[in-house]
Amino acid sequence: MTLTLERLVEAEASKPRWKRRVDSVRCLKGIDVASAADVVFEAGEFSRFKNARSFAAWLGLTPSEHSSGESVRQGGITKAGNKHLRRVLVESAWHYLGCSPHSKDLAKGQTPDPAARRHAAKGVRRLVDRRAAMLDRGVQKNKANVATARELACWCWAVGIMAEGA
């Protein structure tokens, strides 16, 4: 049953309407066809979001804030957005725990936007380095993973925008 569903998702993702964006988002490590399709299908047009920060907020991956006057206190993530995509990106972010900073190889038939692929390679390097720096500072693994997921969402938005040609 699951295998059939995966084939249906792959077939839909390979249609011209989605292929360029799905293939481009797949250039980020931790994101395969199913998770890239989830991101692209759920987001629709990435250009509907003003910036990467608003995309991350839509996913509920931004820190909550309890501020008054001069004091600024940030809490956990808001969780006020798309629960399914938030889970997908948090799971994908675990791949950055021990992966190499080198760009991801293309899969058979994958034809991403060239500029988006180069940008995704920069994103992979940054995410790997940033994750390692957080762990070196003693940030708890789960907190570091959610922070990585938030930034991964921002890179997905940027790569998606490039693939749209906006």
Side-chain angles (χ1 to χ4, degrees):
M1 172 87 172
T2 306
L3 199 54
T4 306
L5 184 58
E6 286 177 15
R7 283 194 199 120
L8 288 172
V9 169
E10 286 178 15
E12 184 65 26
S14 67
K15 290 183 178 177
R17 175 181 180 187
W18 309 109
K19 184 164 178 47
R20 185 178 175 108
R21 285 179 286 160
V22 169
D23 283 354
S24 295
V25 172
R26 283 177 61 196
C27 291
L28 292 161
K29 286 190 176 179
I31 298 185
D32 62 355
V33 176
S35 51
D38 282 343
V39 170
V40 172
F41 295 170
E42 292 280 336
E45 297 291 324
F46 288 100
S47 56
R48 74 185 178 114
F49 300 98
K50 186 170 71 172
N51 52 34
R53 180 180 290 167
S54 63
F55 181 64
W58 178 71
L59 294 170
L61 283 170
T62 54
S64 61
E65 191 170 310
H66 309 284
S67 302
S68 174
E70 298 284 323
S71 70
V72 175
R73 293 179 307 183
Q74 289 189 327
I77 60 170
T78 61
K79 297 183 184 175
N82 190 312
K83 183 179 181 179
H84 172 69
L85 272 188
R86 186 171 52 251
R87 183 190 57 78
V88 166
L89 288 171
V90 167
E91 283 183 15
S92 295
W94 281 111
H95 289 270
Y96 291 90
L97 186 57
C99 74
S100 74
H102 303 294
S103 63
K104 188 175 170 183
D105 293 332
L106 292 179
K108 183 179 179 183
Q110 184 180 356
T111 55
D113 177 71
R117 183 169 186 222
R118 286 189 300 276
H119 199 64
K122 289 179 192 174
V124 168
R125 282 191 301 276
R126 174 161 165 84
L127 289 167
V128 168
D129 293 344
R130 188 150 187 264
R131 178 67 173 263
M134 281 190 275
L135 295 177
D136 288 345
R137 282 195 330 257
V139 175
Q140 181 192 26
K141 279 186 180 181
N142 289 342
K143 276 189 177 182
N145 193 62
V146 172
T148 304
R150 183 200 177 285
E151 192 164 341
L152 178 59
C154 293
W155 283 99
C156 285
W157 176 85
V159 167
I161 283 287
M162 293 176 103
E164 285 176 5

